[in-house]
Amino acid sequence: MAGGLLNVSWVLSLLCVLQMVETVSGARAPSAGAHISSQFPAAGVSQTSVVDCREVCGLNASDRCAFVRTNPDCRSDGGYLDYLEGIFCHFPARLLPLAITLYAFWLLYLFLILGVTAAKFFCPNLSAISTTLKLSHNVAVSFWSSSGTLEGGPEGVRGWETGDASWPGQPGAPALRPLDTSPHGVTFLAFGNGAPDIFSALVAFSDPRTAGLAFGALFGAGVLVTTVVAGGIAILRPFTAASRPFLRDIIFYMAAVLLIFTALYCGRVTLAWALGYLGFYAFYVVTVVLCTWIYQRQRRRSLVCSMPATPEILSDSEEERMSSNTNSYDYGEEYRPLLLYPETTAQILVQALNPLDYRKWRTKPMYWRVLKVFKLPVEFLLLLTVPVMDPDKEDRNWKRPLNCLHLVISPLFLTLTLQSGAYGVYEIGGLFPVWAAVVIAGTALAAVTFFATSNSEPPRFHWLFAFLGFLTSALWINAAATEVVNILRSLGVVFRLSNTVLGLTLLAWGNSIGDVFSDFTLARQGYPRMAFSACFGGIIFNMLVGVGLGCLLQISRSHMEVKLEPDGLLVWILAGTLGLSLVCSLVLVPLQCFQLSRVYGCCLLLLYLTFLVVALLTEFGVIHLKTV
């Protein structure tokens, strides 16, 4: 329990770092007047007449550019590109379909950037930080990823995550490593997995005009995961769900949905409500820790009582070593040279900046190669700007020339990213730009580090690179999330769609596509209970922390409560569908003795399709409330 309290304290520190990042990185502190908008009015303050930006499509083509440039509702508060001005000022009216197509491809690429940054740079640095802080890393028989704990006697399965070698007994498939079951599985790992969703919510809440995107994305992702993902897993591989973790997670998720629904009904989020959301998630973490501790204690007692005369049970590390020795073969030995020679500094730098593994390239299918081609530019830039520390490697991923280069490039990237580059061009005393001072200081520090260290052995202060990598990757994700929110708002203006429907469709699909594929892959490989458990814990974190932290940051900047005005009937349909899917699962799954069949999965998919049809019909006015 002491480790759990230590973990919670570090999570609070992590949230403070995120608040600093979000405050200075494009989510500017608006004045009281800037907080007022046609969508979120505040009582007692006079408002200027602002025309809805979506009216631009009803104007003549010659008047659209001037309207977009002069109307305050069309201005973007953050980001590097003005997408509305690009559509209506730089593209002729006849080329509007071309502009929309280019924006759609750019949106897909932004989602790719979010996924690559979170998976290969943000999460590894988070794991390195937790290891550096000496947080508990206990590996037990239960599975714990974001929350899901697999229980159930002999038929229970050990928790694993995919690696790069082979499944036991299945050569050529991804390797399995035991998943972390410590308390930071519901904090650090959940935050790493949900980083795109959280940053998208923070960016959306920073501007009252796009707050509907946050609610639409969070509720939409919840509906998607609890229907399409859960139903798809049941269709691919029918299984028996773990009863206690399932009931615990779904009850907590229903309570979280009820809290958000109450805020929407009241039309505001106060400071107490925002802190309450974060506090409720902390209570959920404590509950998961206690449940897992109790279950592990009971399981150890049952094993001792049932096997009094059995030989000594191997520890996890010994069992893992035996499994790897008997079921796998290190094919990398074939590629190692017979005569080892020390690599030069230039060779280390070139190899560290190469994002392509040629051996893996030859063995992968065509679709993987095509996707890798699109990933290569992003991965190269990330390798160049984001240091990654790996405590599991013997050298802890120490690459002296590249890490010294990071001491120059990473601070420069941070300077040019904060406030969308405003700090980078600021001049000290009106003479010397900030970016130049950062380059000089970084170069001096890199030179000292280069001559004071060696290529073969990492220095004692190497752990500091994990924190630098965490901050740099966080700003990468924040910058990409800002562009995603801005481009979605621009598409909403062009097609006259509400932010809510854009959030529950495009933003929710983009942020959840990685979870969908990973969960379906687990189910196909014979681990449906793992995939099903992961459907609830992550979205509990995204909803409570996304809304709580987003509203808390907005309140701290504006010193006012956050006003909520839902986009008509659509938000209530969204929240009602999510609640309905959870209630159906809570009732039907226990009635089936926790047996999830293909019929149950098909019903969940049908529910999601019905929800999409009703939502779109509501958006286009086919379904509407009668006005009295």
Side-chain angles (χ1 to χ4, degrees):
M1 293 305 296
L5 293 176
L6 177 64
N7 186 49
V8 171
S9 66
W10 279 107
V11 171
L12 294 177
S13 303
L14 184 64
L15 295 180
C16 293
V17 174
L18 286 178
Q19 181 174 1
M20 178 196 70
V21 171
E22 180 65 22
T23 302
V24 299
S25 63
R28 288 170 293 283
S31 61
H35 183 70
I36 309 306
S37 70
S38 58
Q39 184 179 354
F40 288 77
V45 183
S46 60
Q47 303 180 47
T48 58
S49 177
V50 179
V51 181
D52 191 343
C53 191
R54 285 176 289 189
E55 300 297 329
V56 65
C57 293
L59 302 176
N60 295 327
S62 58
D63 299 330
R64 293 176 180 177
C65 181
F67 178 85
V68 167
R69 287 177 172 174
T70 57
N71 187 9
D73 192 54
C74 297
R75 296 173 187 168
S76 299
D77 288 336
Y80 295 92
L81 301 176
D82 192 333
Y83 296 100
L84 286 174
E85 184 174 339
I87 291 176
F88 296 109
C89 297
H90 301 292
F91 280 91
R94 65 180 182 277
L95 294 181
L96 182 61
L98 175 62
I100 299 301
T101 303
L102 294 177
Y103 279 21
F105 281 113
W106 175 232
L107 180 64
L108 293 176
Y109 202 71
L110 287 172
F111 283 127
L112 183 68
I113 294 174
L114 285 172
V116 171
T117 308
K120 293 191 175 183
F121 296 87
F122 190 77
C123 290
N125 279 314
L126 270 180
S127 178
I129 289 174
S130 64
T131 303
T132 302
L133 300 179
K134 298 187 187 320
L135 300 178
S136 58
H137 281 265
N138 303 319
V139 178
V141 179
S142 60
F143 166 77
W144 191 347
S145 175
S146 296
S147 82
T149 306
L150 291 187
E151 311 177 49
E155 75 277 7
V157 293
R158 184 179 298 272
W160 304 92
E161 63 181 354
T162 57
D164 294 326
S166 60
W167 294 82
Q170 297 183 14
L176 296 175
R177 296 189 298 269
L179 273 177
D180 193 356
T181 61
S182 62
H184 73 268
V186 289
T187 50
F188 281 99
L189 291 180
F191 177 68
N193 294 334
D197 307 82
I198 295 299
F199 277 94
S200 298
L202 295 182
V203 172
F205 274 117
S206 67
D207 187 350
R209 296 170 299 176
T210 56
L213 274 174
F215 283 105
L218 294 174
F219 279 117
V223 176
L224 179 71
V225 170
T226 57
T227 56
V228 175
V229 179
I233 293 170
I235 293 173
L236 290 173
R237 187 68 63 98
F239 67 101
T240 302
S243 57
R244 285 177 288 181
F246 170 78
L247 294 175
R248 180 198 65 211
D249 289 343
I250 201 169
I251 289 174
F252 267 97
Y253 193 27
M254 290 177 65
V257 172
L258 180 61
L259 290 175
I260 306 299
F261 186 87
T262 304
L264 286 173
Y265 180 78
C266 296
R268 66 182 186 277
V269 176
T270 62
L271 179 61
W273 275 93
L275 294 175
Y277 294 143
L278 299 177
F280 186 71
Y281 184 76
F283 174 65
Y284 169 69
V285 172
V286 173
T287 303
V288 173
V289 172
L290 288 175
C291 291
T292 305
W293 179 76
I294 293 172
Y295 170 73
Q296 292 174 357
R297 186 177 180 182
Q298 292 175 346
R299 184 172 179 82
R300 283 194 296 266
R301 287 182 177 180
S302 64
L303 289 175
V304 171
C305 295
S306 61
M307 297 179 295
T310 54
E312 181 180 359
I313 300 175
L314 293 176
S315 65
D316 289 326
S317 59
E318 293 170 336
E319 182 181 347
E320 189 179 333
R321 260 196 312 272
M322 290 185 61
S323 175
S324 62
N325 290 336
T326 56
N327 295 327
S328 62
Y329 173 72
D330 186 8
Y331 293 95
E333 295 286 347
E334 299 178 359
Y335 295 91
R336 293 179 182 174
L338 296 177
L339 299 177
L340 298 178
Y341 59 92
E343 293 180 312
T344 64
T345 300
Q347 289 175 331
I348 294 175
L349 179 62
V350 172
Q351 184 178 359
L353 286 175
N354 182 17
L356 183 62
D357 187 341
Y358 297 104
R359 288 175 292 175
K360 185 181 293 185
W361 175 271
R362 290 195 294 265
T363 61
K364 291 296 183 179
M366 181 58 64
Y367 75 89
W368 185 93
R369 298 184 185 184
V370 173
L371 185 61
K372 187 66 176 179
V373 169
F374 288 101
K375 287 183 179 180
L376 286 177
V378 179
E379 291 180 347
F380 175 78
L381 292 177
L382 287 167
L383 288 172
L384 190 62
T385 56
V386 183
V388 178
M389 177 187 171
D390 189 353
D392 296 329
K393 289 185 177 180
E394 185 178 354
D395 62 352
R396 292 180 291 179
N397 203 37
W398 166 251
K399 311 294 182 184
R400 185 177 68 147
L402 180 59
N403 288 138
C404 292
L405 197 61
H406 285 150
L407 294 176
V408 181
I409 297 180
S410 294
L412 179 62
F413 176 81
L414 295 176
T415 305
L416 297 178
T417 306
L418 297 178
Q419 194 81 15
S420 299
Y423 287 117
V425 298
Y426 178 77
E427 294 183 349
I428 303 175
L431 299 174
F432 202 70
V434 172
W435 67 266
V438 171
V439 169
I440 293 175
T443 303
L445 182 60
V448 173
T449 303
F450 184 83
F451 290 108
T453 58
S454 64
N455 291 333
S456 59
E457 184 177 356
R460 289 183 298 176
F461 57 84
H462 184 219
W463 57 271
L464 291 174
F465 282 88
F467 290 87
L468 178 61
F470 162 73
L471 187 59
T472 310
S473 58
L475 285 178
W476 262 97
I477 295 176
N478 184 79
T482 301
E483 299 302 318
V484 167
V485 170
N486 288 340
I487 197 171
L488 285 177
R489 181 172 179 269
S490 301
L491 294 177
V493 169
V494 173
F495 293 107
R496 297 189 178 186
L497 298 175
S498 65
N499 288 325
T500 303
V501 76
L502 289 172
L504 69 91
T505 53
L506 296 180
L507 188 55
W509 295 341
N511 287 338
S512 303
I513 191 67
D515 298 330
V516 172
F517 281 113
S518 61
D519 290 341
F520 283 177
T521 301
L522 275 176
R524 289 195 199 97
Q525 298 293 341
Y527 298 91
R529 297 176 72 187
M530 291 184 200
F532 189 77
S533 297
C535 289
F536 294 95
I539 53 179
I540 294 175
F541 177 87
N542 294 344
M543 179 165 291
L544 290 174
V545 178
V547 176
L549 187 58
C551 292
L552 183 63
L553 293 175
Q554 179 67 10
I555 292 172
S556 65
R557 288 192 296 264
S558 62
H559 305 288
M560 303 170 58
E561 62 184 20
V562 178
K563 299 291 184 179
L564 304 177
E565 286 190 4
D567 292 332
L569 183 62
L570 185 58
V571 172
W572 306 115
I573 292 176
L574 180 58
T577 304
L578 179 56
L580 179 62
S581 67
L582 294 176
V583 171
C584 289
S585 296
L586 181 62
V587 174
L588 295 178
V589 173
L591 288 178
Q592 301 175 84
C593 297
F594 297 93
Q595 296 280 345
L596 301 186
S597 62
R598 289 188 172 90
V599 175
Y600 172 77
C602 292
C603 291
L604 290 180
L605 294 181
L606 182 62
L607 176 62
Y608 186 76
L609 292 176
T610 304
F611 156 71
L612 272 185
V613 171
V614 172
L616 293 177
L617 292 178
T618 304
E619 174 66 19
F620 294 109
V622 178
I623 299 176
H624 56 84
L625 294 175
K626 292 183 179 180
T627 57
V628 181

